Amino acid sequence: AVQARASVPARQAAGINVHVRSPRMSSKVNAYLASQCFVCEDLDRSSAKECKQDNFYGQVCNSAKFLLVSEGAVLLTTPKHKTSDPPSEVLLTAQEVTQGPFSLEVPSLASNTSRVTPLALGKLSGQWILALDVSQHEQLLHSTAREVGMQWRKVRELLRVPDLSPLVLALSGQAVALARWHASTRYCSNCGQPTKSIECGGKRCCIGVPQHKHYPRTDPVVIMLVLSASTPQRCMLGRQSKFPPGVWTALAGFVEQGESIEQAVRREVWEEAGANVGCVTIVGSQPWPVGRAGSNELMIACVCTAETDTIHVNREEMEDVKWFTKEQVREAIDKTGSGSLPREGLLLPPATAIANHLISGWTDGRYGGLKSQL
């Protein structure tokens, strides 16, 4: 007879030592994502069910680590062993939050009427990471931070902080994106009544009609490197008038409702460059919590091949779109971030953006023999 195995929580309650592993990706995919900004594979998000337990905050608040969020910024602290360095860490202990310079009453945050919203980001090595949205205390906390040598930094600014760990950047991006969503979803879109945070920030529900639930929003964006069918092969890059001088990048656009990723790629290339493309291959993705107008985007990187080399630029959307050779792109990769303009006047997005990895993957020969996902 086959005996049903007890659930992990049941075995843990019975005193059985259970090693719970977070889902892992293959080494090949993990190697690719390791260089992607805002990606944290070590963060275990599979423990969300624990947030549904009664008195969840009371159980975890003393052992959890906290990240303070305020109006799209996070608090950077200075490591104790590097007091002379710029602030570069974001996690605080419960004691530092409740008894330090901020004196926040963490246990009271479980109240649904409190404007402070605790947000569960996941677990690191079995320890819960909670973000606290303290925007209503912004003026007081900003002055306090300056007094103790801490800094509030916008997430986009973190991209330029030297030696900042990928973990700090990933946690900061996730926390700010989730806090922004909560701030913009205070009222039910179905009936207009106030909403409240439930399951430690994992969703919101309507106070008047609990069946009306709202989930954190992510906007999918396709970003595609269009390759020429002719030889020697070239890639299609475009620029908008708002870009810094000399900067060109892969074409991109939002996925519309009822549209597949492949369809979105073909539509966007046609709209911006007047070109038809055939095979579309998805090669990677990157969370981008610093999107347009504060949106939280998921960048889906694709490679496709144009049916012809003819380009008809849509001047309403793009300043220019044209083909570049591998030699031009390789020179731009070497010069990007150096502050000097290449001979051909081409600069690429920084290495923090998936566009840079998408373009450099072509010059490295990673896309040979790719076939359509369809």
Side-chain angles (χ1 to χ4, degrees):
V2 177
Q3 185 176 6
R5 190 179 186 186
S7 64
V8 169
R11 285 181 285 154
Q12 289 175 328
I16 302 174
N17 186 23
V18 179
H19 177 59
V20 182
R21 295 187 299 173
S22 61
R24 293 280 175 174
M25 296 172 286
S26 69
S27 59
K28 183 177 180 180
V29 175
N30 188 34
Y32 170 80
L33 290 179
S35 59
Q36 294 302 301
C37 196
F38 296 117
V39 171
C40 178
E41 203 235 327
D42 293 329
L43 186 65
D44 178 13
R45 295 185 175 91
S46 64
S47 302
K49 290 184 178 179
E50 295 181 29
C51 301
K52 299 180 181 180
Q53 299 176 5
D54 294 336
N55 192 30
F56 171 78
Y57 301 120
Q59 296 177 30
V60 306
C61 68
N62 289 329
S63 60
K65 286 291 187 70
F66 294 87
L67 184 156
L68 301 190
V69 179
S70 175
E71 300 295 335
V74 296
L75 183 69
L76 284 184
T77 66
T78 304
K80 294 180 180 179
H81 61 286
K82 295 183 178 180
T83 55
S84 61
D85 291 351
S88 59
E89 294 185 357
V90 291
L91 298 180
L92 301 170
T93 64
Q95 184 176 4
E96 289 172 322
V97 171
T98 58
Q99 301 178 20
F102 303 107
S103 300
L104 295 174
E105 298 179 8
V106 176
S108 69
L109 300 180
S111 171
N112 287 326
T113 59
S114 173
R115 291 186 60 197
V116 177
T117 304
L119 312 171
L121 304 182
K123 283 183 174 181
L124 282 175
S125 302
Q127 185 177 40
W128 273 101
I129 307 298
L130 303 179
L132 300 180
D133 186 355
V134 294
S135 299
Q136 78 278 17
H137 302 304
E138 181 181 9
Q139 184 175 0
L140 173 62
L141 291 178
H142 276 247
S143 60
T144 304
R146 288 193 298 269
E147 293 175 2
V148 296
M150 299 179 181
Q151 296 179 7
W152 288 96
R153 301 288 291 269
K154 297 290 186 180
V155 175
R156 270 193 177 274
E157 296 176 3
L158 295 182
L159 298 174
R160 299 188 295 270
V161 174
D163 301 323
L164 189 69
S165 74
L167 171 63
V168 169
L169 192 57
L171 291 176
S172 300
Q174 181 187 356
V176 165
L178 196 52
R180 280 175 172 162
W181 174 78
H182 278 277
S184 64
T185 319
R186 296 192 181 279
Y187 295 92
C188 179
S189 58
N190 295 295
C191 63
Q193 297 188 71
T195 62
K196 66 179 180 180
S197 173
I198 60 176
E199 298 180 16
C200 202
K203 62 184 72 169
R204 296 184 74 89
C205 74
C206 177
I207 292 179
V209 187
Q211 291 79 8
H212 292 169
K213 291 184 171 60
H214 305 270
Y215 299 86
R217 173 174 172 170
T218 297
D219 298 325
V221 178
V222 289
I223 179 167
M224 46 277 178
L225 188 68
V226 184
L227 304 179
S228 67
S230 60
T231 54
Q233 194 176 62
R234 297 175 292 171
C235 74
M236 181 188 296
L237 302 179
R239 61 170 282 107
Q240 297 178 340
S241 57
K242 64 181 179 181
F243 288 3
V247 173
W248 295 70
T249 186
L251 305 184
F254 288 98
V255 179
E256 295 184 353
Q257 290 183 328
E259 196 174 43
S260 69
I261 293 172
E262 291 81 2
Q263 288 174 320
V265 167
R266 296 187 178 102
R267 174 183 54 77
E268 285 290 343
V269 174
W270 173 255
E271 289 178 355
E272 296 180 352
N276 285 314
V277 299
C279 293
V280 176
T281 302
I282 302 170
V283 297
S285 62
Q286 177 189 29
W288 194 248
V290 291
R292 282 156 275 195
S295 63
N296 178 46
E297 300 170 0
L298 176 63
M299 307 299 295
I300 305 167
C302 303
V303 175
C304 55
T305 303
E307 294 181 350
T308 68
D309 289 353
T310 303
I311 295 176
H312 299 285
V313 182
N314 180 355
R315 300 294 178 182
E316 293 183 0
E317 293 194 26
M318 307 297 294
E319 182 178 88
D320 201 3
V321 178
K322 61 183 182 180
W323 296 105
F324 291 88
T325 66
K326 281 190 176 182
E327 290 71 24
Q328 291 173 308
V329 173
R330 285 195 182 102
E331 182 183 6
I333 291 173
D334 294 337
K335 295 291 184 179
T336 296
S338 67
S340 59
L341 192 65
R343 182 181 66 256
E344 299 293 337
L346 172 64
L347 285 174
L348 299 179
T352 52
I354 197 172
N356 183 290
H357 296 263
L358 180 62
I359 297 169
S360 62
W362 171 60
T363 62
D364 293 341
R366 288 206 300 259
Y367 307 141
L370 291 180
K371 296 182 179 180
S372 173
Q373 296 288 339
L374 291 179

